[in-house]
Amino acid sequence: MVKKYVALLLQLIIWSGFTLAEWFSGKDHLLSKVILFIVFSYLAVLLARKIVESKKDTFIITITSLFTYGLLHTMLHILI
């Protein structure tokens, strides 16, 4: 259970890094942002797979962290 929590937290850090990289690439084309998202998604999956060592749990953790990131990101845009 602790491994899953650690993987989730580390993935949220990766998504925060994605936000920072997206912010730095401000006026890039949509295709480059999609490629950037794919790279960060791959890193998040690799990290969770290494920690959890289960494909099913990796998928669930990645979807959960992505949903949490999206929710937090949306809430911050609404508040700011």
Side-chain angles (χ1 to χ4, degrees):
M1 186 70 169
V2 174
K3 287 185 177 184
K4 293 177 185 176
Y5 183 67
V6 168
L8 181 73
L9 288 177
L10 290 174
Q11 280 191 347
L12 287 174
I13 291 171
I14 288 174
W15 295 126
S16 297
F18 168 72
T19 302
L20 185 64
E22 187 182 31
W23 180 60
F24 281 141
S25 66
K27 295 185 179 181
D28 286 349
H29 296 286
L30 180 63
L31 179 62
S32 62
K33 290 185 180 185
V34 168
I35 292 171
L36 188 67
F37 178 77
I38 290 170
V39 168
F40 274 86
S41 297
Y42 182 68
L43 287 174
V45 169
L46 278 180
L47 179 89
R49 181 82 168 116
K50 189 72 171 175
I51 294 172
V52 179
E53 298 175 353
S54 166
K55 289 182 181 180
K56 179 183 174 188
D57 288 340
T58 298
F59 178 74
I60 291 170
I61 290 168
T62 304
I63 294 300
T64 303
S65 71
L66 190 57
F67 176 75
T68 305
Y69 163 75
L71 186 65
L72 289 172
H73 196 69
T74 304
M75 293 299 287
L76 286 174
H77 273 287
I78 290 172
L79 292 175
I80 294 178

